[in-house]
């Protein structure tokens, strides 16, 4: 039962402007926690704080088209829960690297060295099989 009170549920936003302010507050809180996350998961060899900050911003911008305040509140709640799980070390290092450092594109330095001497068939094959 101790885990039930981990994430504080904010009241619902009345307007889109209020939801927008809450989104900015969440972004600030996430950016302020980046140095401690980098220390907890020892991410200095694979990313720097500005890369993580831009990843967080990209995740928020991905839902910029949403105009319903209730949906925005739900997404903010999920984001706050994810942030608290990361700060409480409920994830392992490879989860953080896979979700927030590497992402869907893969590591940039790995992609350049692999694709130089490949046939077009293998390039298309690898492109279609990266998750």
């Amino acid at each position: 039962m101790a885990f039930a009170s981990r994430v504080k549920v904010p009241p619902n936003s009345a307007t889109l402007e209020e939801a927008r302010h809450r989104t900015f507050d969440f972004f600030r809180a996430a950016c302020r926690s980046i140095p401690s996350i980098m220390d907890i998961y020892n991410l200095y060899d694979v990313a720097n704080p500005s890369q993580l900050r831009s990843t967080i911003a990209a995740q928020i911008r991905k839902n910029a088209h949403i105009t319903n305040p209730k949906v925005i509140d739900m997404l903010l709640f999920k984001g706050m829960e994810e942030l608290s799980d990361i700060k409480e070390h409920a994830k392992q290092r490879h989860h953080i690297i896979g979700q927030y450092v590497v992402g869907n594109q893969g590591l940039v330095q790995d992609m350049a060295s692999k694709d130089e001497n490949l046939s077009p068939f293998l390039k298309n094959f690898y492109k279609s099989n990266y998750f």
Side-chain angles (χ1 to χ4, degrees), residues 6-116:
R6 277 193 317 200
V7 178
K8 192 173 188 180
V9 178
N12 290 333
S13 299
T15 63
L16 184 61
E17 188 65 27
E18 186 179 348
R20 183 175 175 265
H21 285 294
R22 288 177 192 222
T23 304
F24 286 132
D25 291 340
F26 169 71
F27 179 71
R28 278 189 213 101
C31 287
R32 287 182 183 139
S33 64
I34 286 176
S36 63
I37 291 170
M38 299 262 315
D39 288 336
I40 290 170
Y41 294 100
N42 193 19
L43 297 175
Y44 291 105
D45 58 340
V46 293
N48 56 31
S50 65
Q51 288 174 328
L52 292 179
R53 196 175 308 114
S54 65
T55 301
I56 294 169
Q59 292 288 328
I60 291 174
R61 284 190 193 109
K62 186 171 68 174
N63 297 313
H65 65 280
I66 297 173
T67 57
N68 186 347
K70 292 182 190 271
V71 175
I72 294 171
D73 287 340
M74 185 260 318
L75 291 170
L76 284 174
F77 176 75
K78 285 183 174 184
M80 287 185 285
E81 188 173 22
E82 179 78 10
L83 182 61
S84 71
D85 284 349
I86 290 171
K87 289 194 297 189
E88 292 174 1
H89 211 290
K91 294 187 174 225
Q92 294 181 1
R93 184 175 190 259
H94 68 276
H95 295 139
I96 304 301
I97 292 172
Q99 289 176 344
Y100 301 107
V101 176
V102 176
N104 292 335
Q105 290 79 26
L107 284 174
V108 175
Q109 62 266 24
D110 289 346
M111 295 294 287
S113 63
K114 263 195 292 192
D115 293 343
E116 287 177 356

